C-alpha cells in the first residue's frame, strides 16, 4: 500500500500537468456547486405549493371593452354554472401564476409612518374561497352582508370604509407570531379592516425569486365582488377529469353571450403553472446542461492525463510489480493520486465557489450559497475523479511485471 | 534455494512460437553465486523472469525454497517477490520521479511496515552501497554506477535471500562495473544467493559456478563449485566500500 507522501513527491515532478488538472477540477467544482444551487432554487420555485386546487381549476377572461357594454359578472357566472361538470364558479381579481396582482402594505397601526407588511390582495364573491379550495382555519368567512360590488367608480370610496379581512396563515404568523390574528385590526393608511378569519395559505400571483420565501404566502382576501370592468377573470372548479371539456364549453358559452367581445384568456391552472415557470424550467435545463458538460470535460481531462501518465509510467509500473506490488497496489496508486489531485482541486474550488457566489449575489440577487453545497460538490468531484481514473488505473494494474526486465 | 526441473517456456504470438526455454534444469543452493552466460536470445532473461516469479512457465517444475510455485496466483507471487527476491536490472530501472531515498523505500511500501522502519532500512541499505550522501538526489542527477548502486540498495532493503541480476554491469564502463561487481560479491559474502546474467567472461569467472545457456537449454554447468578468486583476496584484507 502506498502512503500519499511519495505520490505527492512524484507529482511535484509534474507540476504543470498536475496544476492544470487541479485547476480544471477547481473550476468544475466552483461552477458546479453554484450551478447545482441555482438549479435547486429553480426547482424549489417550480415546486411551490399554490394552496389552491390547481388540478380541477380553469380560468377565462372576457374583454371589458366592446359595443355591448361591460358584461355582468353575476350573469356570466350564473350561465357558466349551468355547464355540466362545473361545480362552482367565481370572479376574481387575479390568480396565482399570472403577472398581474393587487398588493398593499398593511400596518398594525393607522397612519402613514407605521411599518408596513406587504401582502397580495384577492377579491371575489362568496364563492371564491370554496372554488379555489382555500379553507378557513380559524375564525370564520365573511358574512353575506359584508360583500359589496367593486367597480372603477366605487373603488376609492369602497376602500375607505371599514371592512372585514381574511388573512393567510403565513401572513397571520408574520404579523402576530405565535398569536391569534382573529379580531385584530389592519390598516392601509387610515382605512381599517378587522380580521375575521385565517385561511390556509394561498400563493401570491408573482413569486419572489426564492421558492422558500415565506412572503410568497402573504395574502389577504377582502369582501369585494369584482367583474370584467376591473379586468377580473372567471375561475371555475370542474368535476375531476372534466376540466378540458368544461373550459371549452365555458368559452363557447361566453362567446355566445357576448358575440362582439373576445375571450382574452382561457387556460387550466395546470397550464398556467407550466407557462409561469417556463423560464425557470429553461434556466434549470441550461444549468443542468452546463453542469453535465463541465463534469464531462473534467472527466475527459482526468481520463486523458491519467492515460498519459499510465503510458508514461509503464516501465516503473512493471518495476513496482517486480518489487512486489500487487495489481491492487498499482490500482490504488492511481486512485490515491487522483484523490489527492481532486482534493487539491476541491480545496482551491471552495474558494472559487464562494467567490463566484459573492459575485452572483452582487450582480444577480442570488442568495448566499448554503455551505452544504460545498461538501455535495466535493463528493461529486471525488466520485467523478475516481470514476474517470478507474479505466486508466485498471490498465496500469494490468501492466506485466516482466516489463521491468524486457522493455527497452 | 531454487530448483528447476525440465522447465519450458514458449512465447506465442500470432505468427510465431518461440521456445525460449526447453527442458531447462538447474539447482542453486542457498548461498551460491551463479553466473549465467550465453549468446543473445538464448533464454537468459527468460530464465531470470521465471526464477524471479515475474511470469509463469509452460511446462516443468520450479521449486523456490522447496515450495512449488507453479499455479500460484498473482498476489502470492507478488508477496514472494517482495520478501525473498531482489532484482537488479541492466537498465537500473529507478523511478525517475522519486529521489534516491524514496526509490529505495519502494519495495518496503508493499509490506506492512511503519514509516520509521522503512526509513531505517532504506538508510541502512544506502549506507551499505556508499550513497548516504545522495539521499535527496534524483536518478537523473547520478552517474550510471551510482544509479546501479541505488538499485542494489533498493534490492537489499527488503532483505532478500535471492538476488537476481540481469547484466547489472551491461550499461556501465569498466571502472563503474568493477565497483558494482565488488558490491555484489560483498552481498554474496554476507549470505545472499546470487544469480547473475552476464556477457563478460571475466565477471562470470568471479562467480562460484557458471551456467551456460544455449538455445534455451543449460549446458556446461560446472557442477564443482569453484572457489571464488576475488573472495579470497578480499576476505584477507580490509573491506572498503567501492566508490564510482
Ligand atoms: N515476450 C516475448 N514474446 C515473444 N518472444 C519472446 C518474449 N520474450 C523473449 N522472447 C524470445 O525468447 C527468446 C529468449 O529471449 P531472452 O530470454 O530475452 O534471451 P537473452 O536474455 O538470453 O538474450 C528470444 O528469441 C526472444 O526473442
Ligand atoms: Mg537478456
Amino acid at each position: 500500500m502506498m502512503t500519499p507522501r511519495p505520490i505527492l513527491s512524484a507529482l511535484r515532478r509534474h507540476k504543470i500537468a498536475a496544476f492544470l488538472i487541479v485547476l480544471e477540477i477547481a473550476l468544475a467544482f466552483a461552477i458546479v456547486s453554484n450551478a447545482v444551487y441555482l438549479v435547486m432554487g429553480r426547482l424549489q420555485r417550480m415546486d411551490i405549493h399554490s394552496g389552491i386546487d390547481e388540478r380541477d381549476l380553469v380560468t377565462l377572461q372576457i374583454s371589458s371593452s366592446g359595443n355591448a357594454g361591460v358584461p355582468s359578472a353575476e350573469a356570466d357566472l350564473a350561465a357558466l354554472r349551468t355547464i355540466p361538470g362545473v361545480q362552482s364558479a367565481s370572479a376574481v381579481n387575479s390568480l396565482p401564476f399570472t403577472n398581474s396582482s393587487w398588493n398593499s402594505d398593511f400596518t398594525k397601526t393607522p397612519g402613514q409612518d407605521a411599518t408596513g407588511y406587504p401582502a397580495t390582495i384577492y377579491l371575489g364573491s362568496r364563492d371564491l374561497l370554496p372554488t379555489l379550495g382555500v379553507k378557513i382555519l380559524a375564525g370564520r368567512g365573511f358574512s353575506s352582508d359584508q360583500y359589496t360590488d367593486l367597480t372603477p367608480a366605487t373603488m376609492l370610496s369602497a376602500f375607505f370604509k371599514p371592512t372585514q379581512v381574511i388573512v393567510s396563515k403565513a401572513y397571520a404568523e408574520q404579523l402576530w407570531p405565535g398569536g391569534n390574528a382573529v379580531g385584530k385590526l389592519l390598516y392601509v393608511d387610515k382605512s381599517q379592516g378587522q380580521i375575521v378569519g385565517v385561511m390556509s395559505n394561498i400563493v401570491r400571483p408573482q413569486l419572489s425569486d426564492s421558492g422558500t420565501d415565506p412572503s410568497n404566502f402573504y395574502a389577504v382576501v377582502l369582501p369585494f365582488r369584482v367583474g370584467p370592468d376591473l379586468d377580473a377573470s372567471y375561475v371555475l372548479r370542474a368535476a375531476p377529469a372534466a376540466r378540458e371539456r368544461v373550459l371549452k364549453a365555458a368559452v363557447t358559452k361566453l362567446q355566445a353571450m357576448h358575440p362582439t367581445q373576445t375571450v382574452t384568456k382561457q387556460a387550466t391552472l395546470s397550464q398556467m403553472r407550466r407557462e409561469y415557470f417556463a423560464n425557470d424550467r429553461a434556466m434549470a435545463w441550461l444549468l443542468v446542461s452546463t453542469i453535465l458538460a463541465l463534469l464531462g470535460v473534467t472527466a475527459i481531462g482526468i481520463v486523458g492525463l491519467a492515460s498519459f501518465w499510465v503510458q508514461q509510467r509503464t516501465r516503473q509500473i512493471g518495476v513496482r510489480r517486480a518489487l512486489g506490488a500487487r495489481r491492487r497496489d498499482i490500482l490504488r496508486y492511481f486512485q490515491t493520486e487522483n484523490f489527492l489531485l481532486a482534493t487539491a482541486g476541491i480545496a482551491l474550488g471552495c474558494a472559487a465557489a464562494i467567490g463566484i457566489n459573492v459575485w452572483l449575489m452582487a450582480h444577480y440577487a442570488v442568495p448566499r450559497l448554503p455551505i452544504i453545497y460545498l461538501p455535495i460538490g466535493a463528493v461529486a468531484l471525488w466520485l467523478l475523479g475516481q470514476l474517470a481514473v478507474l479505466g486508466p488505473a485498471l490498465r496500469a494494474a494490468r501492466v506485466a511485471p516482466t516489463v521491468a526486465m524486457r522493455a527497452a | 534455494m531454487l530448483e528447476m526441473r525440465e522447465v519450458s517456456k514458449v512465447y506465442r504470438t500470432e505468427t510465431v512460437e518461440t521456445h525460449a526455454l526447453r527442458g531447462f534444469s538447474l539447482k542453486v543452493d542457498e548461498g551460491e553465486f551463479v553466473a549465467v552466460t550465453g549468446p543473445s536470445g538464448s533464454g537468459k532473461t527468460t530464465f531470470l523472469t521465471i526464477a524471479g516469479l515475474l511470469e509463469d512457465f509452460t511446462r516443468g517444475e520450479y521449486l523456490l525454497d522447496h515450495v512449488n510455485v507453479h499455479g500460484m496466483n498473482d498476489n502470492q507471487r507478488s508477496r514472494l517477490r517482495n520478501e525473498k527476491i531482489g532484482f537488479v536490472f541492466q537498465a537500473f530501472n529507478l523511478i525517475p520521479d522519486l529521489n534516491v531515498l524514496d526509490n529505495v523505500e519502494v519495495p518496503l511500501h508493499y509490506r506492512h511496515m511503519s514509516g520509521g522502519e522503512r526509513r531505517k532500512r532504506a538508510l541502512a541499505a544506502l549506507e551499505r552501497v556508499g550513497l548516504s550522501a545522495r539521499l535527496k538526489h534524483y536518478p537523473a542527477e547520478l552517474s550510471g554506477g551510482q544509479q546501479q548502486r541505488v538499485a542494489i540498495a533498493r534490492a537489499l532493503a527488503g532483505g532478500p535471500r535471492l538476488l537476481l541480476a540481469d547484466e547489472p554491469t551491461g550499461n556501465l564502463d569498466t571502472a563503474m562495473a568493477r565497483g558494482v561487481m565488488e558490491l555484489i560479491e560483498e552481498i554474496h559474502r554476507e549470505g545472499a544467493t546470487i544469480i547473475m546474467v552476464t556477457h563478460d567472461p571475466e565477471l562470470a569467472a568471479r562467480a562460484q559456478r557458471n551456467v551456460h545457456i544455449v538455445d534455451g537449454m543449460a549446458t556446461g554447468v560446472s557442477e564443482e563449485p569453484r572457489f571464488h578468486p576475488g573472495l579470497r583476496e578480499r576476505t584477507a584484507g580490509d573491506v572498503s566500500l567501492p566508490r564510482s
Side-chain angles (χ1 to χ4, degrees):
Chain A
M1 209 157 313
M2 288 303 276
T3 53
R5 199 198 51 83
I7 300 180
L8 281 176
S9 327
L11 277 175
R12 241 183 287 133
R13 306 273 289 175
H14 300 272
K15 280 199 191 80
I16 294 180
F19 179 69
L20 287 179
I21 205 75
V22 164
L23 210 61
E24 188 175 14
I25 292 169
L27 203 68
F29 174 84
I31 295 176
V32 166
S33 48
N34 273 287
V36 167
Y37 174 49
L38 295 180
V39 169
M40 294 313 286
R42 299 289 167 159
L43 293 183
Q44 228 161 28
R45 207 171 112 91
M46 287 162 67
D47 201 38
I48 200 161
H49 188 65
S50 65
I52 62 174
D53 291 341
E54 286 167 51
R55 204 195 47 191
D56 296 326
L57 295 179
V58 304
T59 179
L60 58 172
Q61 193 176 36
I62 189 146
S63 64
S64 54
S65 56
N67 313 339
V70 180
S72 144
E74 277 316 305
D76 285 353
L77 287 168
L80 291 171
R81 286 189 188 104
T82 65
I83 295 171
V86 172
Q87 296 183 333
S88 93
S90 175
V92 65
N93 63 328
S94 76
L95 279 171
F97 313 127
T98 57
N99 282 317
S100 79
S101 60
W102 297 30
N103 301 284
S104 195
D105 281 7
F106 293 84
T107 59
K108 292 200 268 185
T109 48
Q112 282 177 334
D113 336 316
T115 322
Y117 299 91
T120 197
I121 302 170
Y122 286 111
L123 307 173
S125 64
R126 205 176 159 66
D127 295 306
L128 179 61
L129 295 188
T131 302
L132 295 178
V134 174
K135 301 193 171 45
I136 299 295
L137 302 178
R140 52 172 180 84
F142 301 121
S143 45
S144 308
D145 59 358
Q146 276 296 316
Y147 284 95
T148 50
D149 288 314
L150 202 64
T151 63
T154 62
M155 208 155 94
L156 274 179
S157 56
F159 272 118
F160 278 109
K161 282 191 213 123
T163 181
Q164 293 181 350
V165 185
I166 295 173
V167 299
S168 67
K169 187 166 175 279
Y171 196 46
E173 199 43 48
Q174 156 77 14
L175 292 168
W176 292 280
N180 183 7
V182 176
K184 301 276 187 342
L185 297 177
L186 275 183
Y187 301 88
V188 174
D189 198 356
K190 290 193 183 68
S191 322
Q192 186 196 72
Q194 184 173 37
I195 298 174
V196 296
V198 175
M199 63 179 173
S200 58
N201 280 337
I202 169 170
V203 86
R204 59 193 310 155
Q206 281 144 322
L207 300 178
S208 88
D209 282 335
S210 160
T212 53
D213 188 344
S215 76
N216 283 327
F217 297 100
Y218 294 169
V220 304
V221 179
L222 301 177
F224 294 119
R225 285 186 290 259
V226 288
D229 51 356
L230 284 174
D231 284 331
S233 310
Y234 300 136
V235 57
L236 315 182
R237 168 191 282 272
R243 61 183 188 182
E244 312 286 346
R245 189 173 47 76
V246 161
L247 182 58
K248 215 175 277 168
V251 171
T252 311
K253 179 141 280 178
L254 278 188
Q255 269 167 347
M257 292 172 74
H258 311 288
T260 62
Q261 268 146 329
T262 46
V263 174
T264 53
K265 189 173 84 185
Q266 52 173 90
T268 64
L269 261 285
S270 307
Q271 269 169 350
M272 288 172 58
R273 173 189 271 269
R274 221 172 310 129
E275 279 158 32
Y276 188 80
F277 290 122
N279 280 340
D280 294 87
R281 201 174 304 112
M283 182 51 95
W285 277 118
L286 182 73
L287 288 165
V288 166
S289 317
T290 307
I291 291 168
L292 292 180
L294 251 168
L295 291 180
V297 167
T298 308
I300 288 169
I302 292 170
V303 170
L305 185 65
S307 301
F308 171 68
W309 275 348
V310 167
Q311 203 231 311
Q312 196 187 39
R313 297 176 192 165
T314 302
R315 173 176 277 265
Q316 67 156 287
I317 295 165
V319 172
R320 285 175 187 278
R321 293 280 282 124
L323 297 179
R326 295 162 300 176
R327 289 196 184 102
R328 90 170 74 121
D329 294 318
I330 301 298
L331 186 70
R332 215 160 288 158
Y333 182 99
F334 284 92
Q335 288 173 330
T336 306
E337 183 179 68
N338 181 270
F339 180 81
L340 294 172
L341 290 169
T343 304
I346 288 162
L348 193 62
C350 273
I354 291 165
I356 290 174
N357 177 236
V358 166
W359 184 82
L360 286 174
M361 287 197 307
H363 291 84
Y364 293 97
V366 168
R368 181 177 298 285
L369 181 71
I371 225 71
I372 182 71
Y373 284 89
L374 299 180
I376 289 174
V379 168
L381 276 143
W382 271 319
L383 286 180
L384 181 84
Q386 291 300 309
L387 219 63
V389 86
L390 189 61
L394 283 171
R395 228 176 303 137
R398 281 198 297 270
V399 169
T402 46
V403 164
M405 287 272 199
R406 300 278 186 195
Chain B
M1 177 83 230
L2 165 167
E3 182 172 4
M4 285 190 186
R5 291 186 208 128
E6 296 289 314
V7 167
S8 298
K9 176 69 185 177
V10 183
Y11 291 110
R12 288 194 180 82
T13 61
E14 276 173 35
T15 48
V16 278
E17 250 185 25
T18 309
H19 292 261
L21 288 182
R22 317 166 184 253
F24 182 92
S25 299
L26 178 71
K27 190 163 185 280
V28 177
D29 289 326
E30 181 94 43
E32 257 197 295
F33 184 170
V34 175
V36 178
T37 57
S40 188
S42 58
K44 303 183 297 297
T45 297
T46 305
F47 159 63
L48 281 189
T49 60
I50 291 169
L53 305 179
L54 297 178
E55 63 185 339
D56 215 342
F57 43 95
T58 318
R59 267 188 307 280
E61 217 177 346
Y62 172 26
L63 306 178
L64 177 66
D65 256 350
H66 311 293
V67 177
N68 192 338
V69 300
H70 197 48
M72 271 189 178
N73 71 26
D74 190 78
N75 286 351
Q76 293 168 316
R77 292 162 162 277
S78 299
R79 162 170 273 225
L80 280 184
R81 283 199 297 271
N82 186 253
E83 289 175 351
K84 296 198 171 171
I85 305 172
F87 289 94
V88 179
F89 310 95
Q90 178 174 358
F92 320 139
N93 279 345
L94 296 177
I95 293 173
D97 297 331
L98 298 179
N99 65 27
V100 164
L101 185 59
D102 285 339
N103 258 290
V104 175
E105 283 192 20
V106 166
L108 305 179
H109 279 285
Y110 301 120
R111 52 174 82 174
H112 294 288
M113 190 178 278
S114 71
E117 174 71 11
R118 242 183 351 242
R119 177 61 45 103
K120 212 177 81 195
R121 286 229 203 175
L123 289 173
L126 281 163
E127 174 85 47
R128 203 163 150 200
V129 303
L131 281 172
S132 302
R134 299 273 193 280
L135 303 182
K136 298 292 169 198
H137 287 241
Y138 283 88
E141 300 161 358
L142 301 177
S143 74
Q146 287 172 324
Q147 287 190 52
Q148 194 60 302
R149 276 155 55 199
V150 174
I152 291 172
R154 179 175 68 183
L156 292 182
R161 292 188 18 239
L162 175 62
L163 189 74
L164 301 178
D166 195 359
E167 305 193 30
T169 59
N171 285 6
L172 302 177
D173 65 30
T174 327
M176 292 203 265
R178 193 183 319 117
V180 165
M181 189 59 199
E182 282 169 3
L183 188 54
I184 290 174
E185 283 172 342
E186 193 183 302
I187 293 161
H188 171 236
R189 260 200 318 278
E190 284 163 17
T193 308
I194 294 182
I195 300 176
M196 177 182 75
V197 167
T198 181
H199 268 126
D200 186 337
E202 240 176 85
L203 294 182
R206 292 165 75 162
Q208 292 169 310
R209 182 153 69 105
N210 278 9
V211 175
H212 195 66
I213 302 185
V214 177
D215 232 357
M217 287 181 284
T219 64
V221 179
S222 54
E223 291 295 348
E224 282 298 299
R226 282 179 287 142
F227 199 71
H228 204 298
L231 192 61
R232 189 187 292 141
E233 280 165 33
R234 296 184 55 80
T235 41
D238 249 356
V239 180
S240 61
L241 284 172
R243 312 235 169 237
S244 60

